[in-house]
Amino acid sequence: MKLIASLALVVLAMVVAPASAKDSASDAGPEPATETVKVAPTARDNEIEARLENILEATKWFQTLDVRVQEGVVFLEGASDTVEHAKWAADLARRTQDVAAVIDRLEVEPRSVFDFEPATAGLRGIGRSIVGALPLLLFAFVVLGIGWLLSRLSAGLTRRALARRTIAPLLREVIARVAGAAVLIVAMYVVFRVAGLTTVALSLVGGTGLLGLVLGIAFRGITENFLASIFLSIQPPFRTGDLLAIDDHVGYVERLTNRATVLLSLDGNHIQIPNSRVYQATIRNYTSNPNRREDFTVGIGYEDAISDAQAVALQVLADHPAVLSDPEPWVLVESLGAATVNLRVYFWLDGTQHSWLKVRSSVIRLVKRAFQCAGISMPDEAREMVFPRGVPVHMIRDGEQPVAAPTVPVPRSQQVPGETEDVTTAAEAGLRSDAGDLREQSRKSRTPEGGDDLLAARPVEPVSVGSLE
């Protein structure tokens, strides 16, 4: 019984083992083929030779071509025009059916110096590229043309919208141009995007700000002057014809351009100051208030009454036609000198009508004459004692009491010989302001700074002419 059971187990194992082997083989997939599958019957050498000759001759790339096939080995002999064509022929032979090997004996002929075939081929390639790009070029021209028209329209509408507001002309023009440039940049972005140059389009849009930053750093001085001109035109601290003191420069405003402010100095010279300096400088405007105060110092003797001298000087100021009564003039005691009591005379005048230099000269001359007529001395500080009326000498006899010599008044005509009572003299050339003369000089002179005058649209007020000390 045990023997029968053992035989049954062996038979069962023999039946189950082939089944499991089949299952594992089916799970692993089909085995790879060990032989090459032939699509067509085996090609003969003459057939291979004829096929290769027909293909190579059709290309017309080879001269004196000779193709031989022996036992599946292809022999290529002849001359080729380029290395690429010879390599292509060898690769073609290797890919031909039933070719065992390829012996490449093709030689490359040197190209003639006067062979213009590569140049003509390149030109033909460029021509084909241009022809192929004509639709895109036409589209680009149309889009850019429309963008240019829209940019002009946008700039015009912006100018018209800003014209109703109180905005400086330069700032209005800058805003209008920025609006037009934005429309044109959008048109260029569309063209690059359609052309497939998305990276270039994004660089154009994103690089606009970077380009402005780079240009701002490279042209820092120009940018500062341009921005300063915008701010000066928005809120101008002066007008055309104003007399200004900017740093150490004094003159009348001729014009304000995008780069500089032009002044006409009191000597008749043009001064060009960059707008960046003008915007940051301390500006002294002598024309914004037409009234101008002048002063000078005069010394009188210690023996003279100060109140009398003050009254004499005030009377001269009150009688002078160019001195204003409002604000009122002053005659103040300034200091006590070594030999004189120093009085400072203050007075106001209208700078739009009179010249400061001339009025000051006239007042000093008349005050000096009035002091002399009133018997008020004006001694030199270099002396220790001054006798303006001279030293009277009286001989005293024995027993005689000294008697003071009577003071005999001297006529005024003798006190100030040759001194005129006129307000102005020929040397002072009148008290009139010479603003008109300077404007005439400016009109005849050549303007050194080109460009539009940003102050041209603003009214010009009368200007005063004078001198600054």
Side-chain angles (χ1 to χ4, degrees):
M1 292 296 293
K2 291 181 179 180
L3 179 60
I4 295 174
S6 300
L7 292 175
L9 289 175
V10 170
V11 172
L12 181 61
M14 293 176 64
V15 172
V16 173
S20 60
K22 290 181 181 180
D23 294 339
S24 61
S26 61
D27 294 339
E31 297 181 358
T34 58
E35 296 182 358
T36 303
V37 179
K38 300 291 185 180
V39 178
T42 304
R44 293 186 290 273
D45 291 344
N46 58 347
E47 294 177 348
I48 297 175
E49 181 179 329
R51 181 60 175 163
L52 288 177
E53 283 184 354
N54 292 335
I55 295 176
L56 296 178
E57 288 179 357
T59 60
K60 300 183 182 304
W61 292 343
F62 308 93
Q63 295 82 27
T64 65
L65 181 64
D66 184 17
V67 179
R68 292 184 300 104
V69 181
Q70 184 178 355
E71 298 298 332
V73 179
V74 179
F75 297 87
L76 297 177
E77 296 182 358
S80 173
D81 54 355
T82 62
V83 177
E84 290 77 10
H85 292 166
K87 184 178 179 181
W88 178 84
D91 293 340
L92 176 66
R94 292 187 184 93
R95 293 195 303 269
T96 304
Q97 182 180 355
D98 295 327
V99 173
V102 176
I103 306 301
D104 186 6
R105 298 175 180 174
L106 292 174
E107 297 179 355
V108 179
E109 289 187 352
R111 196 175 295 274
S112 174
V113 179
F114 300 99
D115 187 8
F116 297 99
E117 179 61 25
T120 56
L123 291 176
R124 286 195 298 269
I126 294 176
R128 287 191 295 269
S129 301
I130 293 176
V131 172
L134 280 179
L136 181 59
L137 291 177
L138 181 61
F139 173 78
F141 281 126
V142 172
V143 172
L144 291 179
I146 295 175
W148 182 74
L149 293 177
L150 291 178
S151 67
R152 295 286 301 273
L153 180 61
S154 175
L157 293 177
T158 304
R159 291 190 188 94
R160 185 176 301 177
L162 296 178
R164 304 173 183 175
R165 302 184 179 182
T166 308
I167 299 180
L170 179 60
L171 181 60
R172 182 167 60 246
E173 185 65 21
V174 170
I175 296 176
R177 291 189 179 184
V178 169
V183 175
L184 194 58
I185 290 175
V186 171
M188 295 176 66
Y189 173 80
V190 172
V191 171
F192 284 123
R193 190 66 183 270
V194 172
L197 303 175
T198 307
T199 305
V200 178
L202 294 176
S203 301
L204 175 67
V205 176
T208 304
L210 180 60
L211 178 62
L213 179 61
V214 172
L215 292 178
I217 296 175
F219 301 96
R220 178 181 176 183
I222 298 176
T223 305
E224 288 180 353
N225 291 329
F226 182 73
L227 294 178
S229 64
I230 294 178
F231 295 139
L232 289 175
S233 61
I234 294 175
Q235 294 180 343
F238 48 79
R239 298 181 179 180
T240 302
D242 284 359
L243 179 61
L244 305 181
I246 303 176
D247 293 336
D248 297 333
H249 306 290
V250 180
Y252 297 95
V253 178
E254 285 284 294
R255 59 193 301 145
L256 171 66
T257 65
N258 295 338
R259 191 194 72 86
T261 299
V262 182
L263 303 180
L264 180 64
S265 67
L266 301 180
D267 299 330
N269 299 320
H270 284 100
I271 304 174
Q272 297 171 262
I273 307 176
N275 288 332
S276 58
R277 289 184 55 189
V278 175
Y279 186 74
Q280 298 176 2
T282 301
I283 301 175
R284 186 178 299 176
N285 194 326
Y286 297 100
T287 310
S288 56
N289 182 12
N291 294 339
R292 159 91 180 192
R293 190 177 76 171
E294 283 291 330
D295 62 88
F296 63 91
T297 302
V298 59
I300 63 174
Y302 274 89
E303 69 277 6
D304 298 313
I306 296 178
S307 58
D308 294 343
Q310 290 176 321
V312 171
L314 281 177
Q315 187 61 42
V316 171
L317 296 176
D319 296 339
H320 200 284
V323 176
L324 300 178
S325 58
D326 186 18
E328 61 181 354
W330 299 339
V331 181
L332 306 179
V333 179
E334 185 179 46
S335 63
L336 298 177
T340 59
V341 177
N342 297 321
L343 305 180
R344 181 170 289 273
V345 180
Y346 297 92
F347 62 93
W348 293 81
L349 59 97
D350 187 355
T352 61
Q353 302 295 327
H354 304 98
S355 171
W356 304 338
L357 271 179
K358 298 176 181 179
V359 174
R360 189 170 184 269
S361 172
S362 173
V363 172
I364 292 176
R365 178 174 52 81
L366 293 178
V367 168
K368 181 255 183 187
R369 180 184 181 279
F371 279 3
Q372 289 178 331
C373 293
I376 300 174
S377 63
M378 292 176 287
D380 188 355
E381 291 186 354
R383 305 172 186 173
E384 294 183 359
M385 183 174 293
V386 178
F387 302 94
R389 299 180 181 85
V391 180
V393 179
H394 179 71
M395 300 299 295
I396 301 177
R397 297 176 181 178
D398 296 339
E400 184 179 357
Q401 296 294 330
V403 180
T407 302
V408 180
V410 182
R412 289 191 175 185
S413 59
Q414 297 180 8
Q415 291 177 354
V416 191
E419 192 74 57
T420 178
E421 297 181 359
D422 297 335
V423 175
T424 181
T425 62
E428 294 168 345
L431 304 177
R432 180 183 58 86
S433 170
D434 54 349
D437 298 336
L438 284 180
R439 279 198 295 266
E440 183 65 20
Q441 292 184 25
S442 175
R443 187 183 65 83
K444 294 180 179 179
S445 62
R446 176 180 60 87
T447 303
E449 181 71 22
D452 297 334
D453 185 7
L454 304 181
L455 301 175
R458 301 184 179 275
V460 180
E461 295 184 352
V463 298
S464 60
V465 180
S467 174
L468 299 179
E469 297 181 350

